[in-house]
Amino acid sequence: MHLYDTSRKFVEMRIADQTYRNIKPGQFAEFYVDAYPGEIFRGRVHSIASGTGEARVSVLNGSQHVRQHVGNNQGSHGRTVVIEFKEPEGYEIPIGATGSGWISASKPHEKLGFMDIIGAATVRLKAYKAYLSAF
């Protein structure tokens, strides 16, 4: 028998390696999902995965296939951040839903606080674009 706490909801988000050191648990985050275009959801950073998941080693001995390795790693790299949020009543975000988000990360200088406004505006524009594309 398995017991699950379904009152807590989580979403995984990929961040660039350059922002990894500025993300800390508890920071504010906003995101949208394509399943609910035009809707913005809010949460907090729950945890950060330090590994990218792209590094794999074969237990079988053999020559290194550089071409295959490079091809396998052409996709986006980065870290996985887990955002915890409260699902609003009447919503059911499907597993595997895609979307976009931003995190109010630590800034190298206090005068860079305006970057949060840009992040929030960008996510809202993407959410509105998804809403208009649904028609």
Side-chain angles (χ1 to χ4, degrees):
M1 181 166 115
H2 297 281
L3 298 175
Y4 294 102
D5 180 3
T6 59
S7 65
R8 297 174 66 187
K9 302 291 181 177
F10 300 94
V11 76
E12 288 184 350
M13 183 171 132
R14 295 283 278 188
I15 59 167
D17 285 331
Q18 297 89 331
T19 60
Y20 174 73
R21 66 184 178 141
N22 298 319
I23 304 293
K24 307 283 184 272
Q27 291 174 325
F28 178 76
E30 287 184 326
F31 64 96
Y32 88 94
V33 292
D34 290 327
Y36 292 100
E39 301 285 337
I40 303 293
F41 301 95
R42 292 172 181 83
R44 298 238 173 236
V45 174
H46 178 268
S47 57
I48 305 119
S50 59
T52 61
E54 276 83 15
R56 293 188 189 106
V57 177
S58 175
V59 294
L60 301 175
N61 189 14
S63 62
Q64 181 180 6
H65 301 284
V66 176
R67 177 187 234 175
Q68 182 180 359
H69 175 74
V70 171
N72 289 342
N73 291 302
Q74 284 180 336
S76 62
H77 289 261
R79 307 289 182 222
T80 301
V81 175
V82 178
I83 308 292
E84 182 177 2
F85 68 101
K86 290 187 178 180
E87 198 169 49
E89 195 171 316
Y91 290 86
E92 189 174 321
I93 296 177
I95 295 173
T98 58
S100 184
W102 73 279
I103 299 171
S104 180
S106 303
K107 310 293 184 293
H109 193 275
E110 61 189 31
K111 291 189 177 185
L112 295 174
F114 71 91
M115 292 173 64
D116 286 344
I117 297 169
I118 295 170
T122 302
V123 167
R124 280 165 175 72
L125 286 172
K126 288 181 178 182
Y128 297 144
K129 182 179 175 184
Y131 178 76
L132 294 173
S133 295
F135 290 116

